[in-house]
mmCIF file of all heavy atoms in Angstrom:
data_model
loop_
_atom_site.group_PDB
_atom_site.id
_atom_site.type_symbol
_atom_site.label_atom_id
_atom_site.label_comp_id
_atom_site.label_asym_id
_atom_site.label_seq_id
_atom_site.Cartn_x
_atom_site.Cartn_y
_atom_site.Cartn_z
ATOM 1 N N ILE A 73 -105.752 -2.840 15.613
ATOM 2 C CA ILE A 73 -106.020 -4.138 14.986
ATOM 3 C C ILE A 73 -106.585 -5.089 16.037
ATOM 4 O O ILE A 73 -106.107 -5.141 17.164
ATOM 5 C CB ILE A 73 -104.720 -4.688 14.361
ATOM 6 C CG1 ILE A 73 -104.353 -3.830 13.141
ATOM 7 C CG2 ILE A 73 -104.857 -6.157 13.991
ATOM 8 C CD1 ILE A 73 -103.017 -4.159 12.536
ATOM 9 N N HIS A 74 -107.603 -5.874 15.634
ATOM 10 C CA HIS A 74 -108.238 -6.806 16.569
ATOM 11 C C HIS A 74 -107.926 -8.265 16.272
ATOM 12 O O HIS A 74 -107.952 -9.095 17.170
ATOM 13 C CB HIS A 74 -109.755 -6.607 16.583
ATOM 14 C CG HIS A 74 -110.145 -5.251 17.079
ATOM 15 N ND1 HIS A 74 -110.028 -4.880 18.391
ATOM 16 C CD2 HIS A 74 -110.618 -4.164 16.417
ATOM 17 C CE1 HIS A 74 -110.419 -3.622 18.528
ATOM 18 N NE2 HIS A 74 -110.775 -3.167 17.346
ATOM 19 N N ASN A 75 -107.686 -8.590 15.006
ATOM 20 C CA ASN A 75 -107.438 -9.979 14.609
ATOM 21 C C ASN A 75 -106.124 -10.035 13.845
ATOM 22 O O ASN A 75 -105.952 -9.342 12.839
ATOM 23 C CB ASN A 75 -108.585 -10.502 13.747
ATOM 24 C CG ASN A 75 -109.903 -10.445 14.503
ATOM 25 O OD1 ASN A 75 -110.035 -11.023 15.566
ATOM 26 N ND2 ASN A 75 -110.867 -9.716 13.965
ATOM 27 N N LEU A 76 -105.213 -10.895 14.318
ATOM 28 C CA LEU A 76 -103.848 -10.864 13.819
ATOM 29 C C LEU A 76 -103.268 -12.266 13.680
ATOM 30 O O LEU A 76 -103.453 -13.119 14.550
ATOM 31 C CB LEU A 76 -102.991 -10.054 14.799
ATOM 32 C CG LEU A 76 -101.548 -9.758 14.429
ATOM 33 C CD1 LEU A 76 -101.474 -8.861 13.195
ATOM 34 C CD2 LEU A 76 -100.842 -9.092 15.607
ATOM 35 N N VAL A 77 -102.552 -12.466 12.586
ATOM 36 C CA VAL A 77 -101.725 -13.645 12.381
ATOM 37 C C VAL A 77 -100.295 -13.141 12.301
ATOM 38 O O VAL A 77 -99.989 -12.247 11.510
ATOM 39 C CB VAL A 77 -102.088 -14.387 11.076
ATOM 40 C CG1 VAL A 77 -101.099 -15.507 10.804
ATOM 41 C CG2 VAL A 77 -103.500 -14.933 11.145
ATOM 42 N N ILE A 78 -99.428 -13.697 13.142
ATOM 43 C CA ILE A 78 -98.014 -13.311 13.167
ATOM 44 C C ILE A 78 -97.215 -14.412 12.500
ATOM 45 O O ILE A 78 -97.394 -15.596 12.824
ATOM 46 C CB ILE A 78 -97.521 -13.115 14.616
ATOM 47 C CG1 ILE A 78 -98.376 -12.081 15.334
ATOM 48 C CG2 ILE A 78 -96.044 -12.719 14.624
ATOM 49 C CD1 ILE A 78 -98.201 -12.088 16.847
ATOM 50 N N GLU A 79 -96.334 -14.035 11.580
ATOM 51 C CA GLU A 79 -95.478 -15.000 10.912
ATOM 52 C C GLU A 79 -94.020 -14.684 11.216
ATOM 53 O O GLU A 79 -93.580 -13.549 11.076
ATOM 54 C CB GLU A 79 -95.716 -14.984 9.402
ATOM 55 C CG GLU A 79 -97.095 -15.466 9.013
ATOM 56 C CD GLU A 79 -97.328 -15.513 7.520
ATOM 57 O OE1 GLU A 79 -96.556 -14.891 6.748
ATOM 58 O OE2 GLU A 79 -98.303 -16.169 7.106
ATOM 59 N N SER A 80 -93.290 -15.730 11.635
ATOM 60 C CA SER A 80 -91.864 -15.621 11.936
ATOM 61 C C SER A 80 -91.151 -16.818 11.319
ATOM 62 O O SER A 80 -91.722 -17.910 11.235
ATOM 63 C CB SER A 80 -91.648 -15.623 13.453
ATOM 64 O OG SER A 80 -90.273 -15.788 13.770
ATOM 65 N N ASP A 81 -89.896 -16.626 10.921
ATOM 66 C CA ASP A 81 -89.137 -17.747 10.370
ATOM 67 C C ASP A 81 -88.297 -18.454 11.433
ATOM 68 O O ASP A 81 -87.494 -19.323 11.115
ATOM 69 C CB ASP A 81 -88.281 -17.312 9.181
ATOM 70 C CG ASP A 81 -87.297 -16.208 9.509
ATOM 71 O OD1 ASP A 81 -86.894 -16.073 10.675
ATOM 72 O OD2 ASP A 81 -86.932 -15.457 8.587
ATOM 73 N N SER A 82 -88.490 -18.124 12.695
ATOM 74 C CA SER A 82 -87.796 -18.792 13.792
ATOM 75 C C SER A 82 -88.703 -19.871 14.388
ATOM 76 O O SER A 82 -89.585 -19.587 15.193
ATOM 77 C CB SER A 82 -87.398 -17.796 14.882
ATOM 78 O OG SER A 82 -86.857 -18.484 15.994
ATOM 79 N N LEU A 83 -88.474 -21.116 13.994
ATOM 80 C CA LEU A 83 -89.312 -22.219 14.468
ATOM 81 C C LEU A 83 -89.247 -22.361 15.985
ATOM 82 O O LEU A 83 -90.273 -22.581 16.636
ATOM 83 C CB LEU A 83 -88.895 -23.528 13.793
ATOM 84 C CG LEU A 83 -89.724 -24.761 14.144
ATOM 85 C CD1 LEU A 83 -91.198 -24.547 13.815
ATOM 86 C CD2 LEU A 83 -89.183 -25.981 13.412
ATOM 87 N N LEU A 84 -88.074 -22.195 16.569
ATOM 88 C CA LEU A 84 -87.927 -22.307 18.017
ATOM 89 C C LEU A 84 -88.789 -21.276 18.746
ATOM 90 O O LEU A 84 -89.489 -21.604 19.704
ATOM 91 C CB LEU A 84 -86.462 -22.144 18.424
ATOM 92 C CG LEU A 84 -86.178 -22.173 19.921
ATOM 93 C CD1 LEU A 84 -86.587 -23.502 20.536
ATOM 94 C CD2 LEU A 84 -84.709 -21.893 20.182
#
Side-chain angles (χ1 to χ4, degrees):
I73 290 173
H74 297 288
N75 300 302
L76 186 65
V77 173
I78 303 165
E79 294 182 344
S80 168
D81 58 26
S82 174
L83 183 58
L84 177 61

